[in-house]
């Protein structure tokens, strides 16, 4: 295992105040900061003037507007006046939105105006052009760039290149430059703490300073410290499927979030956060990463776990169940649906409560009417549209009955306000019928949802007949419904799946089909597959190649999370070839403590001491157990001294020590980790799953690691 530990060019110390470069950069920072403040104040003033002007214009136009519907021509003129007023209001809104977006960027930069500087010579003999790089781009009133956005093409020379001749691509053109200077800054608001000049990208003093900070309850953005191999993923060309394999602590999740921010920048104006989906391992992880993109000035994408995804699509009376369904079962569904025809028993009534609105027989007759069209998404779509029309007709018929009209007249005020948002007093029979129709639509709204969701199809019955089984697993049910009805999200543009090794091949096939038009970013580590039956990386490739075409791959082999000593320990669990390719960027620190306890008394004492030491340290510490019943055992043993157990809905504390299962610890990191029992009983030799669980557990630690064994230490950690 290789270890890189570069030293900074400059330390943050008082002597820097006598450094002319430091003084020069501090002066530039002060000027930039003052300009940002000035721009911010100017924007606030302009937004206030715009608001006042909009209010005044709206009042003036409203006063001048005299609605007149006496004749057709008068009505058309009135409508034109309303349209003109709306156009004026829209123009004001657009101006306010643009200024608000600019103000948000300024507020973001006031926390740290920039973090880097490059000097680029575009032509021999020319004076190098100095560019300052930050989390957002901003120009002054003269359109002079104060700060360059880290995602801009020119910023790539900072992340990816050594000093000297290099190039970057902008608008399809390759631009040759000579990188004369690559400078990093440690900045807080308008105060420069230190600067670092580096000639090679890997010599990242800012990164080392960042890694030395204690961990918190929230993941921090790595914008200023993105490394070369990480940058290759962040700025990778847009491809249908990108699979990233990275060792523990290589920054996979951080890279994923930076990639999302990069895509938002590249597709500004055409990509909305609602079109990007992040499939994450658990709710604890969702909370952990929630602040990263907002801190970069971007909205969070739609985030969901597999269980949340499945529950949103499955019938309410069906749990998500076990996902360990062979991929072959889904292939059988594809083959069966190809020659499928509906049967009379495949349909159910559309009803709300005890009221049947459309019978199953009517649905069957509609299916027969469309028999010339193959049974599948096209026919189901046509049936859905026709059923919607028939439902409207049925409700219109019901709205005209004396019974409905009597119910309408008996509505109390609260019900009237809920349904119509006003108290009603029909002026004539036509208005009464209109209110009645709205009334029955409200009462039977569930029927429209049933039509839209294809609840009139008996998916279970169809599946059991097609496959010759007694029932369908939830994954099979979802896949069959997608195959029959075209169920999916065609509007999603990007889907990111973190910890991809924790999903079964069948789950991935469902996601690949549901988000059928999206581009996928898949990140994981085969060595962190801690559950039985999940997909190998070969299976991951096969699933997405079948659904979306060729899969491109990247690897991340540098550990940024853990000290060299901790990295060496968890890397020892890998095969020789893989272990040799791993490196750690951090400086050497405290070696892991490994202690076998021969009896219960010594074990209990050692565990209490380890937990107390973790609690006494700064930052965030964790006691990580493989299963929940082990957590219960630890709680019983430690009594009142036991750390709080993290459940599925918890948010991590800012500091202290927590007790957490390995499943929830996935993707997280802690300053200190206590492994309470690394015995041969918990992690037996010759068990690949036990090896991966131990690897994952050890690699959660950044600075200190204590490994205890209740009895004999697992042979996996013995020399």
């Amino acid at each position: 295992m290789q270890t890189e530990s570069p030293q900074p060019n400059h330390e943050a110390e008082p002597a820097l105040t006598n450094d002319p470069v430091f003084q020069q950069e501090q002066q530039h920072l002060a000027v930039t900061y003052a300009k940002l403040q000035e721009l911010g104040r100017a924007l606030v003033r302009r937004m206030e003037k715009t608001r006042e002007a909009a209010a005044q214009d709206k009042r003036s136009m409203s006063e001048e507007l005299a609605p007149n519907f006496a004749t057709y021509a008068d009505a058309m003129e009135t409508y034109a006046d309303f349209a003109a007023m709306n156009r004026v209001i829209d123009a004001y809104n657009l101006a306010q939105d643009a200024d608000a977006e600019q103000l948000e960027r300024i507020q973001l930069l006031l926390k740290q105006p920039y973090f880097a500087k490059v000097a680029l010579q575009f032509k021999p003999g020319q004076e190098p052009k100095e560019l300052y790089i930050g989390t957002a781009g901003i120009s002054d009133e003269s359109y002079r760039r104060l700060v360059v956005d880290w995602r801009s093409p020119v910023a790539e020379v900072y992340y990816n290149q050594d000093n000297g001749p290099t190039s970057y691509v902008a608008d399809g053109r390759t631009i040759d430059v000579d990188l004369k200077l690559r400078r990093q800054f440690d900045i807080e608001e308008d105060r420069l703490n230190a600067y670092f000049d580096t000639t090679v990208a890997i010599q990242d003093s800012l990164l080392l300073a960042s890694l030395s900070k204690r961990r918190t309850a929230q993941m921090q953005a790595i914008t200023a410290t993105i490394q070369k191999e990480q940058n290759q993923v962040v700025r990778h060309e847009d491809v249908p499927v990108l699979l990233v394999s990275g060792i523990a602590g290589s920054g996979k999740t951080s890279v994923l979030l930076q990639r999302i921010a990069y895509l938002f920048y590249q597709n500004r104006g055409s990509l909305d956060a609602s079109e990007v989906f992040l499939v994450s391992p658990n709710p604890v992880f969702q909370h952990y990463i929630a602040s990263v993109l907002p801190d970069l000035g971007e909205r969070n994408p739609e985030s969901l776990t597999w269980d949340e995804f499945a529950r949103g699509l499955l019938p309410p009376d069906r749990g998500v169940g076990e996902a360990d369904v062979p991929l072959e079962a889904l292939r059988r569904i594809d083959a069966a649906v190809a020659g499928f025809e509906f049967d009379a028993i495949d349909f159910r009534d559309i009803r709300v409560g005890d009221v049947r609105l459309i019978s199953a027989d009517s649905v069957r007759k509609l299916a027969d009417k469309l028999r010339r069209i193959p049974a599948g998404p096209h026919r189901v779509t046509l049936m859905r549209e026709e059923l919607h029309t028939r439902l409207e007709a049925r409700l219109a018929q019901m709205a005209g009955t004396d019974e409905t009209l009597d119910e309408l007249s008996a509505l109390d005020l609260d019900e009237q306000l809920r349904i119509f948002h006003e108290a009603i007093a029909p002026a004539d029979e036509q208005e009464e019928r209109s209110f009645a129709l709205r009334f029955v639509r409200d009462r039977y709204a569930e029927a429209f949802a049933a039509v839209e969701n294809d609840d009139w199809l008996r998916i279970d019955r169809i599946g059991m007949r097609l496959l010759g089984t007694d029932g369908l697993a939830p994954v099979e049910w979802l896949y069959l419904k997608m195959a029959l009805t075209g169920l999916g999200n065609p509007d999603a543009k990007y889907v990111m799946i973190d910890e991809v090794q924790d999903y079964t091949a069948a789950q991935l096939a469902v996601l690949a089909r549901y988000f059928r038009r999206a581009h996928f970013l898949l990140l994981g580590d085969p060595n962190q597959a801690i559950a039985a039956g999940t997909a190998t990386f070969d299976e991951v490739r096969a699933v997405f190649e079948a659904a979306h075409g060729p899969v491109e791959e990247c690897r991340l082999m540098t550990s940024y999370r853990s000290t060299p000593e901790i990295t060496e320990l968890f890397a020892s669990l890998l095969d020789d070839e893989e272990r040799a390719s791993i490196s750690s960027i951090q400086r050497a620190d405290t070696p892991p403590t490994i202690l076998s306890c021969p009896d219960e008394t010594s074990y209990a004492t050692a565990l209490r001491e380890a937990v107390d030491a973790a609690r006494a340290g700064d930052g965030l510490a964790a006691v990580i157990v493989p299963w929940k019943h082990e957590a219960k055992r630890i709680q019983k043993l430690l009594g009142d001294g036991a750390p709080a157990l993290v459940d599925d809905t918890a948010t991590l504390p800012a500091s202290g020590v927590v007790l957490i299962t390995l499943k929830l610890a996935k993707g997280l990191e802690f300053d200190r980790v206590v492994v309470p029992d690394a015995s041969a009983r918990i992690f037996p030799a010759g068990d690949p799953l036990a090896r991966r669980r131990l690897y994952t557990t050890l690699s959660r630690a950044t600075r200190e690691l204590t490994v205890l064994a209740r009895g004999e230490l697992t042979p996996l950690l013995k020399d």
Side-chain angles (χ1 to χ4, degrees):
M1 184 178 67
Q2 304 166 350
T3 301
E4 298 274 358
S5 186
Q7 300 296 316
N9 297 69
H10 297 273
E11 301 285 344
E13 58 187 17
L16 282 177
T17 58
N18 298 318
D19 179 349
V21 174
F22 183 92
Q23 294 175 341
Q24 181 184 0
E25 293 293 1
Q26 176 62 71
Q27 176 61 26
H28 181 274
L29 174 61
V31 171
T32 301
Y33 198 86
K35 175 56 69 174
L36 289 171
Q37 289 179 313
E38 181 187 331
L39 291 172
R41 288 190 294 267
L43 276 170
V44 170
R45 289 193 300 269
R46 188 164 74 192
M47 291 174 71
E48 180 60 25
K49 287 182 179 179
T50 300
R51 187 191 65 78
E52 292 174 354
Q56 179 59 44
D57 280 356
K58 188 175 180 180
R59 283 193 300 269
S60 300
M61 288 187 293
S62 297
E63 291 169 358
E64 295 172 2
L65 188 62
N68 183 359
F69 300 98
T71 66
Y72 178 79
D74 291 333
M76 290 298 99
E77 186 175 349
T78 298
Y79 291 140
D81 290 341
F82 277 121
M85 186 172 73
N86 288 334
R87 284 195 296 273
V88 172
I89 294 171
D90 287 343
Y92 279 121
N93 288 336
L94 286 172
Q96 284 292 75
D97 289 346
D99 286 346
E101 185 178 337
Q102 181 86 333
L103 187 59
E104 285 180 4
R105 288 200 295 273
I106 290 172
Q107 290 170 336
L108 178 66
L109 292 174
L110 285 173
K111 299 175 184 176
Q112 184 191 48
Y114 46 80
F115 54 78
K117 170 185 176 180
V118 292
L120 302 177
Q121 188 180 60
F122 287 84
K123 294 182 179 179
Q126 271 189 352
E127 190 72 20
K129 186 175 183 179
E130 296 182 344
L131 300 174
Y132 289 82
I133 302 169
T135 54
I138 198 81
S139 300
D140 63 15
E141 54 278 290
S142 302
Y143 303 101
R144 181 177 62 89
R145 284 195 291 186
L146 298 176
V147 183
V148 174
D149 195 296
W150 69 274
R151 296 163 292 188
S152 66
V154 71
E156 187 168 6
V157 299
Y158 166 75
Y159 289 109
N160 238 17
Q161 306 293 344
D162 302 343
N163 282 18
T166 185
S167 63
Y168 64 95
V169 177
D171 298 326
R173 294 189 306 119
T174 299
I175 300 173
D176 295 316
V177 295
D178 193 345
L179 180 59
K180 296 294 188 182
L181 176 72
R182 182 179 184 274
R183 180 168 290 166
Q184 300 169 297
F185 301 105
D186 178 4
I187 289 173
E188 296 177 50
E189 297 181 346
D190 60 347
R191 183 175 70 255
L192 176 61
N193 297 321
Y195 75 95
F196 314 93
D197 286 342
T198 55
T199 57
V200 182
I202 194 64
Q203 292 177 342
D204 199 330
S205 304
L206 200 63
L207 171 65
L208 295 176
S210 174
L211 295 176
S212 68
K213 296 179 180 177
R214 67 179 182 86
R215 267 49 188 178
T216 67
Q218 297 277 298
M219 175 180 280
Q220 305 300 307
I222 62 166
T223 311
T225 59
I226 297 171
Q227 299 299 289
K228 187 172 183 176
E229 64 175 5
Q230 297 172 327
N231 189 52
Q232 290 172 349
V233 177
V234 172
R235 295 175 183 261
H236 198 283
E237 65 177 317
D238 199 359
V239 294
V241 186
L242 179 60
L243 175 61
V244 180
S245 174
I247 67 161
S250 58
K252 294 183 295 294
T253 302
S254 293
V255 166
L256 179 154
L257 295 169
Q258 300 289 156
R259 170 74 170 169
I260 294 174
Y262 179 76
L263 290 170
F264 281 144
Y265 178 86
Q266 292 293 102
N267 300 279
R268 186 69 71 195
S270 62
L271 180 63
D272 188 78
S274 63
E275 299 168 320
V276 183
F277 291 80
L278 171 56
V279 185
S280 58
N282 56 67
V284 176
F285 182 80
Q286 289 176 332
H287 294 310
Y288 180 60
I289 66 172
S291 66
V292 174
L293 285 168
D295 286 348
L296 294 175
E298 303 289 357
R299 284 173 54 197
N300 276 320
E302 301 291 320
S303 183
L304 68 166
T305 64
W306 167 263
D307 284 359
E308 290 168 339
F309 167 79
R311 276 197 293 268
L313 299 174
L314 288 163
D317 58 346
R318 179 192 280 274
V320 297
E322 294 296 322
D324 191 11
V325 172
L327 192 59
E328 182 55 34
L330 305 190
R331 299 293 173 254
R332 286 177 61 208
I333 290 173
D334 285 326
V337 169
F340 168 74
E341 184 49 67
F342 288 119
D343 193 271
I345 61 173
D346 292 340
F347 309 105
R348 60 163 56 96
D349 297 338
I350 298 173
R351 59 172 62 238
V352 176
D354 296 330
V355 180
R356 185 174 70 181
L357 297 167
I358 299 176
S359 69
D361 190 56
S362 295
V363 181
R364 177 191 62 78
K365 290 177 179 178
L366 176 58
D368 290 343
K369 179 182 174 183
L370 298 170
R371 185 178 289 272
R372 69 187 186 280
I373 301 171
H378 184 41
R379 197 201 298 191
V380 169
T381 298
L382 294 175
M383 291 179 67
R384 189 186 306 127
E385 292 171 353
E386 178 63 23
L387 289 171
H388 189 280
T389 301
R390 293 185 183 187
L391 182 59
E392 286 278 14
R394 176 82 166 95
L395 295 183
Q397 181 187 38
M398 294 173 69
T401 64
D402 291 340
E403 182 183 0
T404 298
L405 295 174
D406 289 343
E407 288 182 276
L408 178 68
S409 63
L411 288 175
D412 60 31
L413 181 60
D414 287 342
E415 279 294 283
Q416 292 179 39
L417 294 175
R418 185 189 67 79
I419 298 171
F420 308 109
H421 308 294
E422 63 177 333
I424 62 171
D428 51 35
E429 185 178 335
Q430 183 178 355
E431 190 173 5
E432 185 181 37
R433 289 288 298 270
S434 176
F435 280 124
L437 184 57
R438 291 169 64 184
F439 171 59
V440 295
R441 281 175 175 167
D442 176 80
R443 171 174 285 182
Y444 300 110
E446 292 178 19
F448 289 101
V451 170
E452 194 62 31
N453 295 332
D454 304 321
D455 293 342
W456 40 273
L457 284 173
R458 305 178 75 169
I459 301 296
D460 277 296
R461 183 79 53 93
I462 295 170
M464 288 187 289
R465 189 177 85 250
L466 281 181
L467 304 177
T469 62
D470 295 331
L472 298 180
V475 168
E476 292 175 304
W477 192 97
L478 280 176
Y479 196 84
L480 176 57
K481 186 168 184 179
M482 286 191 292
L484 283 175
T485 70
L487 173 67
N489 185 337
D491 299 321
K493 294 181 179 179
Y494 295 96
V495 177
M496 318 297 186
I497 304 179
D498 203 6
E499 306 288 354
V500 70
Q501 77 282 342
D502 288 344
Y503 298 84
T504 68
Q507 286 175 314
L508 295 174
V510 166
L511 291 168
R513 185 162 191 159
Y514 185 82
F515 298 106
R516 53 186 178 272
R517 295 179 183 172
H519 284 191
F520 281 80
L521 174 62
L522 316 171
L523 301 98
D525 179 2
N527 297 303
Q528 294 188 63
I530 62 172
T534 55
T536 66
F537 265 46
D538 285 341
E539 290 172 326
V540 172
R541 292 186 201 94
V543 165
F544 282 93
E545 282 174 354
H548 292 271
V551 175
E552 296 198 22
E553 296 185 47
C554 292
R555 297 195 77 190
L556 301 173
M557 299 304 293
T558 304
S559 173
Y560 304 100
R561 173 186 298 149
S562 305
T563 63
E565 295 87 353
I566 295 172
T567 303
E568 185 173 7
L569 183 62
F570 70 69
S572 69
L573 298 167
L574 307 178
D575 60 52
D576 292 342
E577 182 179 352
E578 194 165 15
R579 184 165 65 248
S581 64
I582 294 174
S583 62
S584 172
I585 199 71
Q586 291 224 42
R587 296 190 178 101
D589 206 328
T590 307
T593 298
I594 302 177
L595 180 63
S596 298
C597 304
D599 54 64
E600 284 295 320
T601 301
S602 63
Y603 172 73
T605 300
L607 181 58
R608 288 193 183 93
E609 290 176 350
V611 172
D612 288 344
R615 186 176 284 118
D618 61 349
L620 186 59
V623 180
I624 303 177
V625 294
W627 308 285
K628 198 166 184 176
H629 70 265
E630 281 292 308
K632 299 295 184 182
R633 183 184 67 80
I634 297 296
Q635 286 180 315
K636 185 176 180 180
L637 180 62
L638 296 179
D640 293 341
L645 178 63
V646 176
D647 62 21
D648 288 354
T649 61
T651 300
L652 293 175
S655 60
V657 58
V658 297
L659 179 61
I660 189 170
T661 61
L662 181 57
K663 182 180 179 181
L664 294 183
K666 291 290 296 290
L668 307 181
E669 58 186 38
F670 304 92
D671 293 288
R672 296 167 185 79
V673 166
V674 177
V675 184
D677 190 5
S679 63
R681 176 180 62 87
I682 301 294
F683 299 104
D687 183 347
L689 193 59
R691 181 182 293 272
R692 295 196 295 270
R693 284 174 176 158
L694 184 57
Y695 167 93
T696 306
T697 303
L698 300 177
S699 62
R700 299 309 93 197
T702 65
R703 293 159 55 187
E704 295 181 17
L705 176 63
T706 300
V707 181
L708 304 179
R710 191 173 159 223
E712 182 187 358
L713 180 70
T714 172
L716 297 172
L717 292 180
K718 293 181 177 179
D719 293 332

